[in-house]
Amino acid sequence: MPSALPSTSAAPVLRVEDLTLAFGGVKALAGVGFEVQPGSITAVIGPNGAGKTSLFNTISGFYCPSAGRVRFEGADITRVPAPRRAAMGLARSFQNIALFRGMTVLDNIKLGRHAHLKTNVFDALFYVGRARREEAELRRDVEERIIDFLEIDHIRHASVAALPYGLQKRVEMARALAMQPKVLMLDEPVAGMNREETEDMARFILDVRREWGITVLMVEHDMGMVMDLSDHVVVLNFGQVIAQGTPQQVQADPEVVRAYLGAGDVGALRRKLRGEAVTP
Ligand SMILES: Nc1ncnc2c1ncn2[C@@H]1O[C@H](COP(=O)(O)OP(=O)(O)O)[C@@H](O)[C@H]1O
Ligand SMILES: [Mg+2]
C-alpha cells in the first residue's frame, strides 16, 4: 500500500488529500495525498513530468484541483486565492526564477514583505502613527536578518539581472523568507547550480529549519541532496504517489527504482539515489 498516509503523532502543518488535476486529457495529478509534519524537511521527487510542479502550483493556489483538498494548519484552503495563502504563511520559490530582474536585491526582498501588508480598507484607515512606525522597524529588522543570514549584504544594491544564477536563487529564497512563512516551498532549489552553489543552498535550507523553525517542502532533482536533507520523501510518478517514507525506505523501494529506470540498471539508480556519481 505505497500511497497510504503515514501514521504520525503531531498534527500536520500541511496535508493534501486526494488531489486531482487535469490539463485536457493529461492527468497531471491523480489522487495525490500526503502530510507535511511541522519542522520537517519534506521532499517531493519523481521523474520528469511526474506532476511535481503541478502539485506545487496546486498547493500554493495557482491551479485549482478538480478534486481533493489542501489543508493548511487544519483549515481547508483549497479555494483560498494564492496571495491569501502566502499571507497565511505558505511561501514559495519557482522552478524558473521569478524575480523582478530590473530591480535591486533589496527591493525584491521588500516585495516579499508586501504579502503581509494590510489590504482591508478598515484596517488601512486605522493603521496609522505608532503602529505603522513599529511595523516599518520590524520590517527593517526582518530584512536585515535575512540579508545577513543568506550572506547577500555585498549585493543588496545590485540589480538582480546582473547576478550569477546561484545568487539569484538565493535572492529568491530571501524574498520568500521575507514573507515570514510557516512553510517554505522550494521548486528545484539547486537546479542548474554547480557543486559549491548546491552545498551552500543545502546549508541554507538546513539553517532555515534550524534557526528560523520553518518547515520546508521542496521539489528537487538532485538525489544526493534530497537524501541528505530530507526527513520525509514523497515519490510521484504519473501523477500518483508511488512511495513515501524516510530516505532509506524510499531508496529501498522497488517501485521507486522502476519508476526512475524502467527496466534499466538498478545498481546505477541505487548509486544515484545515494548521491554518488553515475557513469552511464
Ligand atoms: N500548464 C500545463 N498545460 C498542459 N499540460 C501541463 C501543464 N503543466 C504540466 N502539464 C503536464 O502535466 C504533467 C506533469 O507536469 P509537471 O507538473 O510539470 O511535472 P514535473 O514538475 O514533475 O516535471 C506533464 O505531462 C505535463 O506535460
Ligand atoms: Mg517541474
Side-chain angles (χ1 to χ4, degrees):
M1 231 179 28
S3 63
L5 292 170
S7 62
T8 40
S9 44
V13 60
L14 186 70
R15 180 183 163 93
V16 300
E17 302 169 0
D18 206 23
L19 277 187
T20 300
L21 175 78
F23 297 104
V26 179
K27 264 204 174 168
L29 301 174
V32 171
F34 64 91
E35 293 181 344
V36 176
Q37 294 302 319
S40 71
I41 296 179
T42 298
V44 177
I45 65 170
N48 265 329
K52 303 180 299 293
T53 296
S54 301
L55 174 67
F56 256 42
N57 286 337
T58 308
I59 293 174
S60 52
F62 292 98
Y63 293 159
C64 185
S66 58
R69 288 180 200 294
V70 180
R71 289 186 189 278
F72 182 62
E73 297 188 306
D76 184 347
I77 59 162
T78 318
R79 305 272 170 255
V80 172
R84 178 85 199 105
R85 292 187 205 199
M88 288 170 86
L90 205 50
R92 68 167 292 177
S93 74
F94 291 83
Q95 184 171 352
N96 301 307
I97 292 175
L99 292 166
F100 293 92
R101 293 174 57 77
M103 287 169 43
T104 67
V105 167
L106 185 60
D107 286 339
N108 268 282
I109 295 171
K110 283 179 191 289
L111 270 181
R113 284 295 297 162
H114 281 273
H116 273 277
L117 284 188
K118 309 266 191 284
T119 45
N120 175 311
V121 175
F122 184 82
D123 280 349
L125 279 175
F126 291 91
Y127 186 62
V128 289
R130 204 179 125 169
R132 188 187 298 229
R133 272 197 306 279
E134 278 175 6
E135 161 85 14
E137 275 165 30
L138 180 69
R139 268 218 261 174
R140 257 194 309 279
D141 278 355
V142 170
E143 285 157 16
E144 290 310 314
R145 238 182 106 199
I146 292 168
I147 286 170
D148 187 47
F149 171 69
L150 287 172
E151 299 163 14
I152 49 178
D153 189 33
H154 59 299
I155 52 160
R156 69 164 67 207
H157 299 300
S159 159
V160 164
L163 298 175
Y165 182 78
L167 275 178
Q168 289 191 20
K169 278 287 211 191
R170 224 189 279 177
V171 174
E172 208 192 8
M173 186 169 182
R175 188 179 59 181
L177 281 178
M179 293 182 200
Q180 293 182 280
K182 293 171 183 157
V183 175
L184 177 64
M185 298 173 59
L186 302 169
D187 195 352
E188 303 211 11
V190 303
M193 286 189 178
N194 64 33
R195 189 38 56 192
E196 194 190 335
E197 290 169 332
T198 298
E199 280 166 11
D200 282 346
M201 185 54 85
R203 179 166 54 87
F204 289 129
I205 291 171
L206 284 172
D207 287 350
V208 158
R209 188 249 305 264
R210 197 180 57 214
E211 288 182 28
W212 302 56
I214 295 171
T215 305
V216 176
L217 175 63
M218 64 174 174
V219 160
E220 186 46 63
H221 253 98
D222 185 319
M223 287 303 156
M225 172 162 143
V226 166
M227 296 302 164
D228 279 352
L229 262 55
S230 312
D231 305 300
H232 189 71
V233 180
V234 177
V235 189
L236 284 187
N237 197 22
F238 297 113
Q240 292 183 309
V241 176
I242 59 162
Q244 61 175 312
T246 63
Q248 291 73 20
Q249 287 168 338
V250 159
Q251 283 176 63
D253 193 308
E255 276 268 0
V256 177
V257 176
R258 267 198 298 278
Y260 271 86
L261 271 200
D265 175 1
V266 171
L269 176 78
R270 288 249 153 82
R271 287 194 293 281
K272 186 172 172 190
L273 289 172
R274 286 199 301 267
E276 295 165 14
V278 176
T279 36

